[in-house]
Amino acid sequence: MNLNFMPLLHAYNHASIDFHFNPSTRDFCVHEVPLYEFSNTGEHAVIQVRKSGLSTLEMLQIFSQILGVRIAELGYAGLKDKNALTTQFISLPKKYAPLLEKNTHNLQERNLKILSLNYHHNKIKLGHLKGNRFFMRFKKMTPLNAQKTEQVLEQIAQFGMPNYFGPQRFGKFNDNHQEGLKILQNQTKFAHQKLNAFLISSYQSYLFNALLSKRLEISKIISAFSVKENLKFFKQKNLNINPDTLKALKNQAHPFKILEGDVMCHYPYGKFFDALELEKESERFLKKEAAPTGLLDGKKALYAKNLSLEIEKEFQHNLLSSHAKTLGSRRFFWVFAENITSQYVKEKAQFELGFYLPKGSYASALLKEIKHEKGENNDEF
């Protein structure tokens, strides 16, 4: 597979929408939603922190310097954007809690503010969050483009959106995945094991995005062309499918088609299961009760079956499936933005957007779907 950073298909076909979005503490806000309520008892202090102009790792370093706590003792659920105003929860041993109030001024000088203090019986670990609430302000938005944006948001509210990994996963130069493959091939290695693991996960993410884009292409083709034309397309791709199945796929109301052998998962979390009755699973998908998943290849990954597996095979890699420390998993192909709110401020030519996404999903994926920039993707069949 060509490892040059590939264009990714959009879910919805519309003309590009021109506006300006610059991630900043004024125009981009992210608020973490915890996975569970904190008990207010236990050996770990849990603080809600508001930060601006800092990455999560930079924030942890500041707490370590000011409080004298080791970074390894600090717990956090996820990384938050640097170029944004963000809130998130971090945990630290209870004995450091008295130092927080004493160092309020020092923290504020470093663009950090403690919003709340609680206690809990366990340390916060990576992934211990329900999701994030986002606020984005678009500028230089004309009334016509505001109207177009509302139409796209209506589609996203009804059907959801592709769950692509965002560009921050791939680094400033979009080459993290290439470094990850080199590590798997024993061509390079870094001293920090966490960095090696992250770069390998970037390669997994690259393959996932490519698979999702391929599945979107297939879904678009099924919807756009006749059964006869579809049979010809699948034959050219050496994929075996019968006319009756194609008719059933065309009848699925959702733009992303559930294929035979897909690995489904109850949404927003639950158990994996095979898609056996496609009509039934498509209806559940439309109701946001379950969603299809894509492969993050690894030693213990769960693979699809039948037609879905035939497509998935192109995005598997034996170096991932044989790598001892890369276990693999599956990730939702599709997610549903919730609590979407919007307001167009005509006199300022600004569009304000709020929404919620489950953990692991990227606001940049929603922005990509709205903006639909020319030359960004190739939606031709």
Side-chain angles (χ1 to χ4, degrees):
M1 181 182 292
N2 185 353
L3 285 190
N4 290 330
F5 211 69
M6 64 180 62
L8 303 174
L9 293 187
H10 297 98
Y12 308 108
N13 295 327
H14 62 85
S16 61
I17 300 176
D18 185 35
F19 58 84
H20 180 73
F21 175 66
N22 180 36
S24 66
T25 57
R26 185 175 182 275
D27 298 326
F28 186 34
C29 302
V30 186
H31 301 290
E32 184 176 276
V33 180
L35 184 61
Y36 42 73
E37 291 187 7
F38 303 112
S39 62
N40 209 24
T41 60
E43 293 306 309
H44 297 269
V46 177
I47 55 176
Q48 184 183 29
V49 185
R50 186 176 69 201
K51 66 178 182 65
S52 61
L54 295 167
S55 70
T56 297
L57 297 181
E58 288 170 338
M59 175 189 71
L60 296 179
Q61 290 171 348
I62 291 171
F63 274 109
S64 176
Q65 293 165 2
I66 291 179
L67 303 182
V69 57
R70 292 186 297 115
I71 289 180
E73 295 180 283
L74 298 170
Y76 62 97
L79 301 175
K80 296 291 178 285
D81 297 77
K82 179 173 183 175
N83 297 317
L85 181 68
T86 72
T87 66
Q88 68 182 114
F89 293 88
I90 66 170
S91 65
L92 64 163
K94 189 176 183 178
K95 64 181 181 180
Y96 293 101
L99 298 177
L100 291 169
E101 187 174 352
K102 293 179 181 179
N103 286 281
T104 299
H105 181 69
N106 291 336
L107 292 169
Q108 288 181 344
E109 283 187 333
R110 306 290 293 274
N111 295 327
L112 293 172
K113 184 176 182 180
I114 309 299
L115 301 179
S116 67
L117 170 64
N118 210 317
Y119 296 92
H120 201 59
H121 54 82
N122 63 262
K123 179 182 179 180
I124 294 178
K125 295 182 179 180
L126 203 60
H128 280 200
L129 73 160
K130 185 177 181 181
N132 295 286
R133 294 194 306 272
F134 296 91
F135 170 83
M136 306 174 88
R137 181 181 286 111
F138 306 146
K139 297 181 178 179
K140 299 181 180 179
M141 176 82 81
T142 66
L144 179 59
N145 282 334
Q147 184 180 358
K148 291 179 180 178
T149 300
E150 292 286 5
Q151 292 170 350
V152 178
L153 290 172
E154 287 176 8
Q155 290 180 302
I156 292 173
Q158 181 178 2
F159 294 113
M161 66 184 201
N163 193 26
Y164 287 121
F165 283 99
Q168 53 269 59
R169 190 77 172 180
F170 303 103
K172 184 177 180 180
F173 301 105
N174 287 334
D175 62 354
N176 283 354
H177 59 294
Q178 296 175 344
E179 293 299 311
L181 181 57
K182 289 178 183 177
I183 293 170
L184 290 168
Q185 295 170 331
N186 292 319
Q187 294 181 12
T188 189
K189 193 173 184 180
F190 296 92
H192 297 289
Q193 289 303 313
K194 286 186 177 180
L195 177 58
N196 291 319
F198 174 75
L199 292 172
I200 291 173
S201 74
S202 295
Y203 182 57
Q204 288 177 302
S205 304
Y206 175 83
L207 293 177
F208 174 90
N209 276 5
L211 172 58
L212 173 51
S213 189
K214 172 60 71 174
R215 285 292 302 269
L216 257 173
E217 178 192 23
I218 290 170
S219 294
K220 286 171 175 282
I221 289 170
I222 290 171
S223 296
F225 297 105
S226 68
V227 171
K228 184 178 180 180
E229 289 169 319
N230 276 319
L231 284 171
K232 183 178 180 181
F233 166 79
F234 278 93
K235 187 176 181 179
Q236 289 173 343
K237 300 294 183 182
N238 295 316
L239 297 172
N240 186 29
I241 189 168
N242 63 60
D244 290 338
T245 300
L246 270 172
K247 289 178 184 177
L249 291 176
K250 284 184 70 68
N251 288 333
Q252 290 184 13
H254 199 283
F256 190 86
K257 306 304 180 185
I258 307 296
L259 302 182
E260 184 183 7
D262 266 343
V263 179
M264 306 289 291
C265 185
H266 298 284
Y267 190 88
Y269 38 74
K271 294 182 178 180
F272 294 114
F273 61 95
D274 293 332
L276 300 176
E277 302 177 47
L278 298 191
E279 183 178 354
K280 177 183 175 182
E281 298 310 332
S282 179
E283 290 174 357
R284 294 176 71 183
F285 184 28
L286 200 61
K287 294 177 182 177
K288 307 175 184 178
E289 296 173 353
T293 65
L295 176 67
L296 291 171
D297 203 4
K299 191 172 184 177
K300 295 185 177 181
L302 180 64
Y303 294 105
K305 297 180 176 67
N306 304 322
L307 176 61
S308 182
L309 176 60
E310 290 304 307
I311 298 166
E312 188 176 278
K313 280 180 179 178
E314 182 185 348
F315 307 92
Q316 297 174 7
H317 200 298
N318 64 310
L319 290 177
L320 284 169
S321 57
S322 62
H323 192 259
K325 294 183 179 180
T326 304
L327 300 182
S329 61
R330 298 196 71 89
R331 168 184 170 87
F332 283 120
F333 268 142
W334 213 258
V335 290
F336 302 100
E338 300 174 26
N339 303 323
I340 299 175
T341 61
S342 61
Q343 178 183 355
Y344 179 54
V345 186
K346 186 176 180 180
E347 59 273 17
K348 294 183 179 180
Q350 294 180 358
F351 191 96
E352 297 176 349
L353 173 64
F355 56 95
Y356 166 86
L357 288 175
K359 69 177 182 179
S361 301
Y362 292 80
S364 56
L366 187 142
L367 177 64
K368 169 188 176 66
E369 203 60 54
I370 294 171
K371 205 166 178 60
H372 216 306
E373 290 179 316
K374 292 180 180 178
E376 178 192 3
N377 294 340
N378 177 16
D379 280 340
E380 296 299 321
F381 301 141

